[in-house]
Amino acid sequence: MVPLTSSAQRAELHRTIWSIANDLRGSVDGWDFKTYVLGMLFYRFISENLSDYIDRGERAAGDSTFEYAALSDSLAEDGRAQTVAEKGFYILPSELFANVRARAAGDADLNETLSRVFRNIEGSAVGTDSEGDLKGLFDDLDVNSAKLGNTVAQRNAKLVKLLDAIGDLPLGGLEENRIDLFGDAYEYLMQMYASNAGKSGGEYFTPQEVSELLARLATFGKTSVSKVYDPACGSGGALLKFVKVLGKDNVRQGFYGQEINLTTYNLARINMFLHGINFESFDIALGDTLVDPQHAEVEPFEAIVSNPPYSMKWEGKDNGLLINDPRYAPAGVLAPKSAADLAFTMHMLAYLATNGTAAIVEFPGVMYRSGAEQKIRKYLVDNNFVDAVIQLPADLFFGTTIATCVLVLKKSKKDTGVLFIDASKLFERPGNKNRLADEHIEQIMEAYAERADVDYFARVVTPQQLEENDYNLSVSSYVEPEDLSEKIDIKELNAEIAEIVARQAQLRTEIDAIVADLEAGQE
């Protein structure tokens, strides 16, 4: 596992990024401009990652002064095939980030230079195992967009500033440390833009602490897993929390995800690279998971985490084939067309390994509504797939203030009870959003491990009790909230009131006597 950067180093990095974003954004909408900042950050990363890799290899072979960035393109061509086989891509020395940046201010055709470089990087993987992982990665970094300026000169001036700003980021010198810093920079940028982008930003980013909770739940009791999966992976943050929780090498057979949004799909693949996950260790696919799943050949997965889109519309019963789909057929009913939440849930259950665990963020309504959703919950409960339901605090996610919950599914439970945890009061508020602190995650995990009744916090409920309650899976239906209102003794209160009334009567009598004396004296 890569070493964590110091708090001071991380804080300085974040200050620098904030300054860059505000300086460069200008008239470009923040959420749009993030693709330029993140794309250029990725360009710098793969350039330095490749240079470091080649330099170490040559120096280990005996050339102690070798520097790939100073090599001519013609000499560098000799190593292309081997490097692509090992790294999945290739960049000629003249097209490395540092060298393009050094020439940028004097390059009147900088936009075309960058466009050619990006095409060449993607083209280096064509016909190889890494082609799918590199294809289209720079599509959203449109160096000819009017968003950068109305003229070529204006666009190039912006690109020069962007190259210089990203090039000046303090990202360290050692490769492992640099990977950690690049990844941290990426996550900070994603969070910064999401928090300023309203709902559109929230669609792409799950708060890191929520992602960590999901990964810890999905790997509870394990030190390693085979394959991990997120069918609505967004920018890939939840998948990458397995690196923090287990360590990269303890996800033995790779990281898998699917994303329907093209821009976010590209960001997820970039995120994998920026966290040191090489092309052969991840498979992020583009497409609609519910009707066109891309990983049927590699399931099942031992650990699944996801924060699917809430109340998303889907084909549902309008597609006559879906009711016979082996993912949905066992429940005997499809999720409503207006809310695909439990369709994602059924998909994940179908792709879950016998010894696996899925931790899924759910919209609250699907846990108690009647109709098709109730029938799906009945299927989950009757077959003993529901391990736990955890109520999260409100206002954790960007773009919404709703209080979501986490549904934990298993295919091989040791008991039949369902654990309900009310974590709605476990949060801090450092800014304009609530967040789970480390101690809150620990408190949830301790309750999950103990599986015992705790007043006002946790309760284990039998399947019979769930059936009697119409398969309602809302935490509030089973965990009684603590009454924090002040207890009042009515008899004592009445006595105090009587004493106050008597005192008021006495004061009136005394005041009347004083007034009468004053009036008598005036006569």
Side-chain angles (χ1 to χ4, degrees), residues 147-207:
K147 292 177 180 179
L148 294 173
N150 293 323
T151 67
V152 171
Q154 289 174 342
R155 294 167 198 165
N156 284 345
K158 199 83 161 182
L159 290 169
V160 170
K161 291 184 70 175
L162 183 57
L163 283 164
D164 285 340
I166 296 299
D168 286 341
L169 277 178
L171 296 174
L174 296 175
E175 186 196 14
E176 285 195 346
N177 185 49
R178 186 182 294 137
I179 288 173
D180 186 48
L181 283 162
F182 268 105
D184 186 79
Y186 180 95
E187 289 178 0
Y188 179 75
L189 278 162
M190 288 297 297
Q191 180 166 342
M192 181 182 73
Y193 284 123
S195 64
N196 287 284
K199 184 176 181 180
S200 63
E203 291 172 358
Y204 302 98
F205 188 82
T206 300

